[in-house]
Amino acid sequence: KQVIRKSEFGRVIEWLKLNDPIWLQNHHIKLYFHKNQKSNVDVKKIDKEFVKKLENAFNELVRSKDSRRITKTQILRKAKILSRHLNLPLCNEFLNKNSESIEDFQIRRIKNVAEILSANGEIITVPKLLYGAHIWKRTEKVVKAASKIANLY
């Protein structure tokens, strides 16, 4: 019997599986992976460290008056973390909780427009807010938020 590591002849073995499985069975080639080896990596510790990085990146994005929507990708890029770390439970939970929906993003834009209009001393109305925030498809939630913001100023 021969024992072959997957990493050594991976492409050859895959080709044989697809094109000549009988030969592969007759020659008793076994493939093994490093499944039983324990990892020295503390996943929970790394997960907590990444969540701290994600929190810092999220806070920077919120503080900046950037007109881009805060998405999972945006937060990951700002934190300089690879997207494969989404499999970590705390990171995934943090990103799902803090990424903006389209409506939340529109409401944030409306607030920014209201601040600009009030700084210029203009009268704040709902149509001005929606027009200034470039919102053409209006949902009920966005219109209600715009009317609340208009009443506050």
Side-chain angles (χ1 to χ4, degrees):
K1 287 185 176 180
Q2 285 182 318
V3 177
I4 296 177
R5 283 189 199 177
K6 177 79 173 169
S7 60
E8 290 177 1
F9 301 103
R11 289 184 179 165
V12 174
I13 299 300
E14 291 299 319
W15 186 88
L16 284 170
K17 275 185 185 176
L18 291 172
N19 297 308
D20 201 358
I22 296 168
W23 183 91
L24 197 59
Q25 285 177 349
N26 291 339
H27 288 80
H28 302 291
I29 295 177
K30 285 190 171 184
L31 302 175
Y32 74 92
F33 300 94
H34 299 285
K35 289 182 181 176
N36 296 332
Q37 292 183 351
K38 292 186 178 179
S39 176
N40 294 335
V41 178
D42 186 8
V43 177
K44 291 181 181 179
K45 181 181 175 186
I46 290 174
D47 198 10
K48 289 177 184 176
E49 290 174 8
F50 282 163
V51 167
K52 288 179 185 174
K53 284 184 181 180
L54 291 172
E55 285 174 351
N56 292 336
F58 176 74
N59 291 333
E60 284 181 36
L61 287 171
V62 169
R63 271 187 261 123
S64 69
K65 292 291 181 179
D66 198 1
S67 62
R68 285 185 275 173
R69 186 173 152 210
I70 300 174
T71 60
K72 290 181 183 182
T73 309
Q74 200 72 1
I75 298 170
L76 286 170
R77 282 186 187 151
K78 188 75 172 177
K80 297 179 183 172
I81 295 177
L82 300 174
S83 60
R84 68 173 177 234
H85 295 113
L86 286 175
N87 296 335
L88 297 171
L90 294 176
C91 289
N92 196 12
E93 181 183 333
F94 178 83
L95 290 170
N96 286 336
K97 188 171 65 172
N98 291 309
S99 57
E100 279 183 326
S101 67
I102 293 173
E103 290 177 336
D104 294 337
F105 174 55
Q106 290 175 338
I107 292 168
R108 185 165 57 98
R109 286 196 334 236
I110 289 171
K111 288 177 184 175
N112 290 341
V113 169
E115 289 176 9
I116 292 169
L117 290 175
S118 68
N120 292 339
E122 296 184 34
I123 298 172
I124 296 174
T125 61
V126 174
K128 273 188 183 178
L129 289 175
L130 295 174
Y131 183 78
H134 303 287
I135 298 172
W136 312 121
K137 293 182 180 178
R138 300 170 181 173
T139 61
E140 187 177 332
K141 181 179 175 182
V142 173
V143 173
K144 282 182 181 178
S147 63
K148 285 182 183 177
I149 292 169
N151 291 335
L152 288 175
Y153 289 92

mmCIF file of all heavy atoms in Angstrom, residues 51-93:
data_model
loop_
_atom_site.group_PDB
_atom_site.id
_atom_site.type_symbol
_atom_site.label_atom_id
_atom_site.label_comp_id
_atom_site.label_asym_id
_atom_site.label_seq_id
_atom_site.Cartn_x
_atom_site.Cartn_y
_atom_site.Cartn_z
ATOM 1 N N VAL A 51 -12.481 41.330 17.087
ATOM 2 C CA VAL A 51 -13.671 42.126 17.427
ATOM 3 C C VAL A 51 -13.253 43.508 17.911
ATOM 4 O O VAL A 51 -13.887 44.513 17.567
ATOM 5 C CB VAL A 51 -14.554 41.391 18.463
ATOM 6 C CG1 VAL A 51 -15.596 42.310 19.040
ATOM 7 C CG2 VAL A 51 -15.219 40.190 17.832
ATOM 8 N N LYS A 52 -12.160 43.589 18.686
ATOM 9 C CA LYS A 52 -11.669 44.904 19.122
ATOM 10 C C LYS A 52 -11.252 45.750 17.924
ATOM 11 O O LYS A 52 -11.551 46.945 17.849
ATOM 12 C CB LYS A 52 -10.490 44.734 20.080
ATOM 13 C CG LYS A 52 -10.889 44.221 21.445
ATOM 14 C CD LYS A 52 -9.689 44.043 22.347
ATOM 15 C CE LYS A 52 -10.110 43.408 23.665
ATOM 16 N NZ LYS A 52 -8.949 43.098 24.514
ATOM 17 N N LYS A 53 -10.561 45.122 16.968
ATOM 18 C CA LYS A 53 -10.167 45.846 15.749
ATOM 19 C C LYS A 53 -11.398 46.306 14.976
ATOM 20 O O LYS A 53 -11.441 47.429 14.468
ATOM 21 C CB LYS A 53 -9.319 44.955 14.848
ATOM 22 C CG LYS A 53 -7.906 44.760 15.298
ATOM 23 C CD LYS A 53 -7.150 43.949 14.264
ATOM 24 C CE LYS A 53 -5.717 43.703 14.674
ATOM 25 N NZ LYS A 53 -5.002 42.914 13.658
ATOM 26 N N LEU A 54 -12.402 45.423 14.893
ATOM 27 C CA LEU A 54 -13.628 45.773 14.173
ATOM 28 C C LEU A 54 -14.373 46.913 14.861
ATOM 29 O O LEU A 54 -14.912 47.794 14.189
ATOM 30 C CB LEU A 54 -14.539 44.553 14.046
ATOM 31 C CG LEU A 54 -14.058 43.428 13.130
ATOM 32 C CD1 LEU A 54 -14.963 42.218 13.254
ATOM 33 C CD2 LEU A 54 -13.981 43.896 11.694
ATOM 34 N N GLU A 55 -14.388 46.911 16.196
ATOM 35 C CA GLU A 55 -15.047 47.996 16.935
ATOM 36 C C GLU A 55 -14.353 49.325 16.661
ATOM 37 O O GLU A 55 -15.021 50.340 16.434
ATOM 38 C CB GLU A 55 -15.037 47.700 18.429
ATOM 39 C CG GLU A 55 -16.017 46.644 18.860
ATOM 40 C CD GLU A 55 -15.885 46.268 20.326
ATOM 41 O OE1 GLU A 55 -14.920 46.710 20.980
ATOM 42 O OE2 GLU A 55 -16.753 45.518 20.803
ATOM 43 N N ASN A 56 -13.029 49.328 16.674
ATOM 44 C CA ASN A 56 -12.284 50.562 16.397
ATOM 45 C C ASN A 56 -12.567 51.055 14.982
ATOM 46 O O ASN A 56 -12.775 52.255 14.758
ATOM 47 C CB ASN A 56 -10.784 50.340 16.597
ATOM 48 C CG ASN A 56 -10.431 50.113 18.050
ATOM 49 O OD1 ASN A 56 -11.158 50.524 18.949
ATOM 50 N ND2 ASN A 56 -9.317 49.442 18.287
ATOM 51 N N ALA A 57 -12.554 50.138 14.022
ATOM 52 C CA ALA A 57 -12.823 50.516 12.637
ATOM 53 C C ALA A 57 -14.241 51.048 12.475
ATOM 54 O O ALA A 57 -14.470 52.046 11.782
ATOM 55 C CB ALA A 57 -12.600 49.315 11.719
ATOM 56 N N PHE A 58 -15.202 50.396 13.122
ATOM 57 C CA PHE A 58 -16.599 50.841 13.043
ATOM 58 C C PHE A 58 -16.756 52.237 13.632
ATOM 59 O O PHE A 58 -17.421 53.093 13.054
ATOM 60 C CB PHE A 58 -17.504 49.843 13.764
ATOM 61 C CG PHE A 58 -18.940 50.262 13.806
ATOM 62 C CD1 PHE A 58 -19.730 50.188 12.674
ATOM 63 C CD2 PHE A 58 -19.507 50.737 14.975
ATOM 64 C CE1 PHE A 58 -21.060 50.585 12.705
ATOM 65 C CE2 PHE A 58 -20.824 51.134 15.019
ATOM 66 C CZ PHE A 58 -21.607 51.052 13.875
ATOM 67 N N ASN A 59 -16.130 52.480 14.793
ATOM 68 C CA ASN A 59 -16.217 53.800 15.420
ATOM 69 C C ASN A 59 -15.595 54.872 14.540
ATOM 70 O O ASN A 59 -16.109 55.991 14.455
ATOM 71 C CB ASN A 59 -15.563 53.778 16.800
ATOM 72 C CG ASN A 59 -16.358 52.958 17.787
ATOM 73 O OD1 ASN A 59 -17.567 52.810 17.650
ATOM 74 N ND2 ASN A 59 -15.686 52.397 18.774
ATOM 75 N N GLU A 60 -14.497 54.563 13.868
ATOM 76 C CA GLU A 60 -13.889 55.526 12.936
ATOM 77 C C GLU A 60 -14.829 55.830 11.782
ATOM 78 O O GLU A 60 -14.954 56.984 11.362
ATOM 79 C CB GLU A 60 -12.567 54.979 12.395
ATOM 80 C CG GLU A 60 -11.416 55.053 13.364
ATOM 81 C CD GLU A 60 -10.130 54.528 12.753
ATOM 82 O OE1 GLU A 60 -9.912 54.748 11.539
ATOM 83 O OE2 GLU A 60 -9.350 53.895 13.489
ATOM 84 N N LEU A 61 -15.483 54.796 11.256
ATOM 85 C CA LEU A 61 -16.407 55.008 10.141
ATOM 86 C C LEU A 61 -17.609 55.847 10.565
ATOM 87 O O LEU A 61 -18.093 56.682 9.803
ATOM 88 C CB LEU A 61 -16.878 53.665 9.576
ATOM 89 C CG LEU A 61 -15.857 52.882 8.760
ATOM 90 C CD1 LEU A 61 -16.376 51.484 8.465
ATOM 91 C CD2 LEU A 61 -15.536 53.605 7.469
ATOM 92 N N VAL A 62 -18.100 55.633 11.769
ATOM 93 C CA VAL A 62 -19.257 56.395 12.246
ATOM 94 C C VAL A 62 -18.860 57.853 12.478
ATOM 95 O O VAL A 62 -19.612 58.773 12.147
ATOM 96 C CB VAL A 62 -19.824 55.758 13.537
ATOM 97 C CG1 VAL A 62 -20.830 56.663 14.204
ATOM 98 C CG2 VAL A 62 -20.457 54.423 13.210
ATOM 99 N N ARG A 63 -17.678 58.071 13.052
ATOM 100 C CA ARG A 63 -17.229 59.447 13.338
ATOM 101 C C ARG A 63 -16.959 60.239 12.070
ATOM 102 O O ARG A 63 -17.173 61.444 12.034
ATOM 103 C CB ARG A 63 -15.954 59.419 14.196
ATOM 104 C CG ARG A 63 -16.273 59.393 15.681
ATOM 105 C CD ARG A 63 -15.023 59.537 16.504
ATOM 106 N NE ARG A 63 -14.623 58.200 16.947
ATOM 107 C CZ ARG A 63 -13.450 57.629 16.716
ATOM 108 N NH1 ARG A 63 -12.524 58.265 16.066
ATOM 109 N NH2 ARG A 63 -13.194 56.416 17.136
ATOM 110 N N SER A 64 -16.473 59.582 11.030
ATOM 111 C CA SER A 64 -16.183 60.306 9.791
ATOM 112 C C SER A 64 -17.496 60.676 9.124
ATOM 113 O O SER A 64 -18.483 59.949 9.205
ATOM 114 C CB SER A 64 -15.343 59.445 8.847
ATOM 115 O OG SER A 64 -16.106 58.370 8.362
ATOM 116 N N LYS A 65 -17.531 61.808 8.483
ATOM 117 C CA LYS A 65 -18.742 62.261 7.790
ATOM 118 C C LYS A 65 -18.755 61.711 6.360
ATOM 119 O O LYS A 65 -19.120 62.386 5.416
ATOM 120 C CB LYS A 65 -18.790 63.792 7.757
ATOM 121 C CG LYS A 65 -18.999 64.417 9.112
ATOM 122 C CD LYS A 65 -20.384 64.135 9.614
ATOM 123 C CE LYS A 65 -20.594 64.800 10.965
ATOM 124 N NZ LYS A 65 -21.929 64.573 11.469
ATOM 125 N N ASP A 66 -18.347 60.449 6.238
ATOM 126 C CA ASP A 66 -18.281 59.809 4.937
ATOM 127 C C ASP A 66 -19.689 59.501 4.453
ATOM 128 O O ASP A 66 -20.553 59.130 5.235
ATOM 129 C CB ASP A 66 -17.466 58.513 5.054
ATOM 130 C CG ASP A 66 -16.965 58.010 3.716
ATOM 131 O OD1 ASP A 66 -17.231 58.689 2.706
ATOM 132 O OD2 ASP A 66 -16.313 56.958 3.683
ATOM 133 N N SER A 67 -19.915 59.649 3.169
ATOM 134 C CA SER A 67 -21.255 59.438 2.632
ATOM 135 C C SER A 67 -21.443 58.017 2.118
ATOM 136 O O SER A 67 -22.349 57.758 1.344
ATOM 137 C CB SER A 67 -21.519 60.437 1.507
ATOM 138 O OG SER A 67 -20.602 60.218 0.460
ATOM 139 N N ARG A 68 -20.564 57.103 2.524
ATOM 140 C CA ARG A 68 -20.705 55.709 2.097
ATOM 141 C C ARG A 68 -21.438 54.905 3.168
ATOM 142 O O ARG A 68 -21.326 55.184 4.353
ATOM 143 C CB ARG A 68 -19.338 55.082 1.843
ATOM 144 C CG ARG A 68 -18.730 55.562 0.543
ATOM 145 C CD ARG A 68 -17.455 54.837 0.285
ATOM 146 N NE ARG A 68 -16.398 55.552 1.006
ATOM 147 C CZ ARG A 68 -15.170 55.113 1.115
ATOM 148 N NH1 ARG A 68 -14.815 53.968 0.600
ATOM 149 N NH2 ARG A 68 -14.272 55.824 1.770
ATOM 150 N N ARG A 69 -22.129 53.887 2.705
ATOM 151 C CA ARG A 69 -22.869 53.005 3.604
ATOM 152 C C ARG A 69 -21.890 52.116 4.371
ATOM 153 O O ARG A 69 -20.906 51.634 3.815
ATOM 154 C CB ARG A 69 -23.808 52.142 2.766
ATOM 155 C CG ARG A 69 -24.731 51.292 3.552
ATOM 156 C CD ARG A 69 -25.708 50.616 2.618
ATOM 157 N NE ARG A 69 -26.137 49.366 3.223
ATOM 158 C CZ ARG A 69 -26.490 48.301 2.549
ATOM 159 N NH1 ARG A 69 -26.478 48.316 1.244
ATOM 160 N NH2 ARG A 69 -26.858 47.220 3.158
ATOM 161 N N ILE A 70 -22.150 51.899 5.642
ATOM 162 C CA ILE A 70 -21.283 51.074 6.473
ATOM 163 C C ILE A 70 -21.733 49.622 6.328
ATOM 164 O O ILE A 70 -22.736 49.212 6.885
ATOM 165 C CB ILE A 70 -21.323 51.520 7.946
ATOM 166 C CG1 ILE A 70 -20.855 52.965 8.063
ATOM 167 C CG2 ILE A 70 -20.469 50.609 8.804
ATOM 168 C CD1 ILE A 70 -21.002 53.547 9.442
ATOM 169 N N THR A 71 -20.962 48.866 5.550
ATOM 170 C CA THR A 71 -21.277 47.464 5.290
ATOM 171 C C THR A 71 -20.230 46.582 5.954
ATOM 172 O O THR A 71 -19.226 47.072 6.482
ATOM 173 C CB THR A 71 -21.275 47.181 3.780
ATOM 174 O OG1 THR A 71 -19.979 47.481 3.259
ATOM 175 C CG2 THR A 71 -22.329 48.001 3.061
ATOM 176 N N LYS A 72 -20.459 45.282 5.904
ATOM 177 C CA LYS A 72 -19.480 44.341 6.449
ATOM 178 C C LYS A 72 -18.130 44.523 5.761
ATOM 179 O O LYS A 72 -17.091 44.568 6.420
ATOM 180 C CB LYS A 72 -19.949 42.890 6.235
ATOM 181 C CG LYS A 72 -21.111 42.473 7.045
ATOM 182 C CD LYS A 72 -21.435 41.024 6.728
ATOM 183 C CE LYS A 72 -22.656 40.553 7.470
ATOM 184 N NZ LYS A 72 -22.956 39.154 7.209
ATOM 185 N N THR A 73 -18.163 44.637 4.457
ATOM 186 C CA THR A 73 -16.926 44.782 3.683
ATOM 187 C C THR A 73 -16.203 46.058 4.061
ATOM 188 O O THR A 73 -14.975 46.063 4.207
ATOM 189 C CB THR A 73 -17.255 44.796 2.176
ATOM 190 O OG1 THR A 73 -18.069 43.676 1.869
ATOM 191 C CG2 THR A 73 -16.005 44.767 1.349
ATOM 192 N N GLN A 74 -16.950 47.130 4.228
ATOM 193 C CA GLN A 74 -16.367 48.421 4.596
ATOM 194 C C GLN A 74 -15.652 48.326 5.949
ATOM 195 O O GLN A 74 -14.546 48.828 6.107
ATOM 196 C CB GLN A 74 -17.505 49.443 4.658
ATOM 197 C CG GLN A 74 -17.122 50.864 4.569
ATOM 198 C CD GLN A 74 -16.676 51.264 3.189
ATOM 199 O OE1 GLN A 74 -16.659 50.505 2.245
ATOM 200 N NE2 GLN A 74 -16.263 52.486 3.098
ATOM 201 N N ILE A 75 -16.295 47.687 6.910
ATOM 202 C CA ILE A 75 -15.703 47.553 8.247
ATOM 203 C C ILE A 75 -14.463 46.670 8.188
ATOM 204 O O ILE A 75 -13.433 46.986 8.789
ATOM 205 C CB ILE A 75 -16.732 46.985 9.245
ATOM 206 C CG1 ILE A 75 -17.929 47.930 9.385
ATOM 207 C CG2 ILE A 75 -16.100 46.765 10.611
ATOM 208 C CD1 ILE A 75 -19.092 47.339 10.151
ATOM 209 N N LEU A 76 -14.547 45.562 7.445
ATOM 210 C CA LEU A 76 -13.401 44.660 7.324
ATOM 211 C C LEU A 76 -12.213 45.340 6.661
ATOM 212 O O LEU A 76 -11.067 45.165 7.082
ATOM 213 C CB LEU A 76 -13.788 43.409 6.533
ATOM 214 C CG LEU A 76 -14.666 42.400 7.253
ATOM 215 C CD1 LEU A 76 -15.175 41.350 6.277
ATOM 216 C CD2 LEU A 76 -13.895 41.741 8.377
ATOM 217 N N ARG A 77 -12.480 46.130 5.623
ATOM 218 C CA ARG A 77 -11.379 46.849 4.957
ATOM 219 C C ARG A 77 -10.731 47.854 5.890
ATOM 220 O O ARG A 77 -9.515 47.998 5.908
ATOM 221 C CB ARG A 77 -11.902 47.564 3.711
ATOM 222 C CG ARG A 77 -12.092 46.671 2.552
ATOM 223 C CD ARG A 77 -12.458 47.467 1.330
ATOM 224 N NE ARG A 77 -12.806 46.573 0.238
ATOM 225 C CZ ARG A 77 -13.642 46.868 -0.712
ATOM 226 N NH1 ARG A 77 -14.235 48.044 -0.743
ATOM 227 N NH2 ARG A 77 -13.902 45.998 -1.664
ATOM 228 N N LYS A 78 -11.551 48.573 6.625
ATOM 229 C CA LYS A 78 -11.019 49.586 7.542
ATOM 230 C C LYS A 78 -10.176 48.932 8.638
ATOM 231 O O LYS A 78 -9.149 49.481 9.045
ATOM 232 C CB LYS A 78 -12.175 50.371 8.152
ATOM 233 C CG LYS A 78 -11.781 51.554 8.963
ATOM 234 C CD LYS A 78 -11.342 52.683 8.065
ATOM 235 C CE LYS A 78 -11.124 53.943 8.855
ATOM 236 N NZ LYS A 78 -10.631 55.021 8.035
ATOM 237 N N ALA A 79 -10.596 47.748 9.108
ATOM 238 C CA ALA A 79 -9.874 47.039 10.165
ATOM 239 C C ALA A 79 -8.704 46.225 9.613
ATOM 240 O O ALA A 79 -7.922 45.689 10.386
ATOM 241 C CB ALA A 79 -10.823 46.121 10.918
ATOM 242 N N LYS A 80 -8.614 46.127 8.277
ATOM 243 C CA LYS A 80 -7.570 45.343 7.613
ATOM 244 C C LYS A 80 -7.621 43.888 8.052
ATOM 245 O O LYS A 80 -6.624 43.283 8.444
ATOM 246 C CB LYS A 80 -6.191 45.947 7.853
ATOM 247 C CG LYS A 80 -6.060 47.331 7.265
ATOM 248 C CD LYS A 80 -4.721 47.934 7.518
ATOM 249 C CE LYS A 80 -4.714 49.343 6.952
ATOM 250 N NZ LYS A 80 -3.533 50.087 7.302
ATOM 251 N N ILE A 81 -8.844 43.329 8.005
ATOM 252 C CA ILE A 81 -9.068 41.926 8.339
ATOM 253 C C ILE A 81 -9.624 41.238 7.103
ATOM 254 O O ILE A 81 -10.445 41.800 6.388
ATOM 255 C CB ILE A 81 -10.061 41.795 9.520
ATOM 256 C CG1 ILE A 81 -9.455 42.405 10.775
ATOM 257 C CG2 ILE A 81 -10.422 40.347 9.768
ATOM 258 C CD1 ILE A 81 -10.367 42.406 11.967
ATOM 259 N N LEU A 82 -9.187 40.004 6.854
ATOM 260 C CA LEU A 82 -9.633 39.266 5.684
ATOM 261 C C LEU A 82 -11.058 38.754 5.874
ATOM 262 O O LEU A 82 -11.487 38.471 6.990
ATOM 263 C CB LEU A 82 -8.700 38.077 5.432
ATOM 264 C CG LEU A 82 -7.241 38.444 5.173
ATOM 265 C CD1 LEU A 82 -6.402 37.177 5.079
ATOM 266 C CD2 LEU A 82 -7.100 39.254 3.910
ATOM 267 N N SER A 83 -11.769 38.615 4.764
ATOM 268 C CA SER A 83 -13.172 38.194 4.843
ATOM 269 C C SER A 83 -13.326 36.745 5.294
ATOM 270 O O SER A 83 -14.396 36.344 5.711
ATOM 271 C CB SER A 83 -13.855 38.383 3.490
ATOM 272 O OG SER A 83 -13.198 37.605 2.513
ATOM 273 N N ARG A 84 -12.266 35.954 5.248
ATOM 274 C CA ARG A 84 -12.381 34.565 5.704
ATOM 275 C C ARG A 84 -12.567 34.483 7.217
ATOM 276 O O ARG A 84 -12.943 33.457 7.746
ATOM 277 C CB ARG A 84 -11.176 33.750 5.270
ATOM 278 C CG ARG A 84 -9.890 34.132 5.957
ATOM 279 C CD ARG A 84 -8.787 33.158 5.589
ATOM 280 N NE ARG A 84 -7.545 33.563 6.187
ATOM 281 C CZ ARG A 84 -6.439 33.742 5.524
ATOM 282 N NH1 ARG A 84 -6.417 33.556 4.221
ATOM 283 N NH2 ARG A 84 -5.337 34.095 6.139
ATOM 284 N N HIS A 85 -12.306 35.582 7.913
ATOM 285 C CA HIS A 85 -12.492 35.603 9.352
ATOM 286 C C HIS A 85 -13.950 35.818 9.744
ATOM 287 O O HIS A 85 -14.262 35.925 10.924
ATOM 288 C CB HIS A 85 -11.596 36.663 9.998
ATOM 289 C CG HIS A 85 -10.139 36.340 9.832
ATOM 290 N ND1 HIS A 85 -9.316 37.096 9.060
ATOM 291 C CD2 HIS A 85 -9.388 35.315 10.315
ATOM 292 C CE1 HIS A 85 -8.110 36.566 9.082
ATOM 293 N NE2 HIS A 85 -8.126 35.488 9.825
ATOM 294 N N LEU A 86 -14.821 35.864 8.753
ATOM 295 C CA LEU A 86 -16.249 35.951 9.041
ATOM 296 C C LEU A 86 -16.757 34.671 9.682
ATOM 297 O O LEU A 86 -17.830 34.641 10.256
ATOM 298 C CB LEU A 86 -17.041 36.216 7.762
ATOM 299 C CG LEU A 86 -16.949 37.621 7.207
ATOM 300 C CD1 LEU A 86 -17.670 37.696 5.879
ATOM 301 C CD2 LEU A 86 -17.523 38.614 8.168
ATOM 302 N N ASN A 87 -15.979 33.590 9.573
ATOM 303 C CA ASN A 87 -16.385 32.328 10.188
ATOM 304 C C ASN A 87 -16.216 32.362 11.703
ATOM 305 O O ASN A 87 -16.761 31.517 12.392
ATOM 306 C CB ASN A 87 -15.556 31.172 9.618
ATOM 307 C CG ASN A 87 -15.805 30.981 8.144
ATOM 308 O OD1 ASN A 87 -16.863 31.349 7.646
ATOM 309 N ND2 ASN A 87 -14.853 30.424 7.447
ATOM 310 N N LEU A 88 -15.465 33.311 12.209
ATOM 311 C CA LEU A 88 -15.305 33.427 13.655
ATOM 312 C C LEU A 88 -16.613 33.955 14.239
ATOM 313 O O LEU A 88 -17.169 34.947 13.753
ATOM 314 C CB LEU A 88 -14.146 34.364 13.985
ATOM 315 C CG LEU A 88 -12.774 33.901 13.496
ATOM 316 C CD1 LEU A 88 -11.748 35.000 13.680
ATOM 317 C CD2 LEU A 88 -12.344 32.654 14.219
ATOM 318 N N PRO A 89 -17.126 33.328 15.278
ATOM 319 C CA PRO A 89 -18.490 33.651 15.742
ATOM 320 C C PRO A 89 -18.673 35.078 16.238
ATOM 321 O O PRO A 89 -19.657 35.739 15.895
ATOM 322 C CB PRO A 89 -18.745 32.631 16.855
ATOM 323 C CG PRO A 89 -17.421 32.092 17.227
ATOM 324 C CD PRO A 89 -16.534 32.232 16.041
ATOM 325 N N LEU A 90 -17.747 35.590 17.052
ATOM 326 C CA LEU A 90 -17.921 36.950 17.587
ATOM 327 C C LEU A 90 -17.792 37.992 16.489
ATOM 328 O O LEU A 90 -18.514 38.988 16.477
ATOM 329 C CB LEU A 90 -16.911 37.214 18.704
ATOM 330 C CG LEU A 90 -17.078 36.388 19.979
ATOM 331 C CD1 LEU A 90 -15.960 36.691 20.962
ATOM 332 C CD2 LEU A 90 -18.425 36.637 20.607
ATOM 333 N N CYS A 91 -16.862 37.768 15.558
ATOM 334 C CA CYS A 91 -16.694 38.710 14.442
ATOM 335 C C CYS A 91 -17.955 38.761 13.589
ATOM 336 O O CYS A 91 -18.431 39.835 13.226
ATOM 337 C CB CYS A 91 -15.508 38.303 13.575
ATOM 338 S SG CYS A 91 -13.910 38.554 14.326
ATOM 339 N N ASN A 92 -18.470 37.591 13.273
ATOM 340 C CA ASN A 92 -19.669 37.517 12.445
ATOM 341 C C ASN A 92 -20.852 38.191 13.132
ATOM 342 O O ASN A 92 -21.611 38.937 12.511
ATOM 343 C CB ASN A 92 -19.978 36.055 12.122
ATOM 344 C CG ASN A 92 -20.942 35.914 10.984
ATOM 345 O OD1 ASN A 92 -21.224 36.861 10.272
ATOM 346 N ND2 ASN A 92 -21.459 34.726 10.810
ATOM 347 N N GLU A 93 -21.003 37.946 14.418
ATOM 348 C CA GLU A 93 -22.099 38.558 15.179
ATOM 349 C C GLU A 93 -21.963 40.078 15.198
ATOM 350 O O GLU A 93 -22.936 40.809 14.989
ATOM 351 C CB GLU A 93 -22.088 38.011 16.603
ATOM 352 C CG GLU A 93 -23.177 38.546 17.485
ATOM 353 C CD GLU A 93 -23.063 38.018 18.907
ATOM 354 O OE1 GLU A 93 -22.510 36.917 19.095
ATOM 355 O OE2 GLU A 93 -23.525 38.722 19.818
#
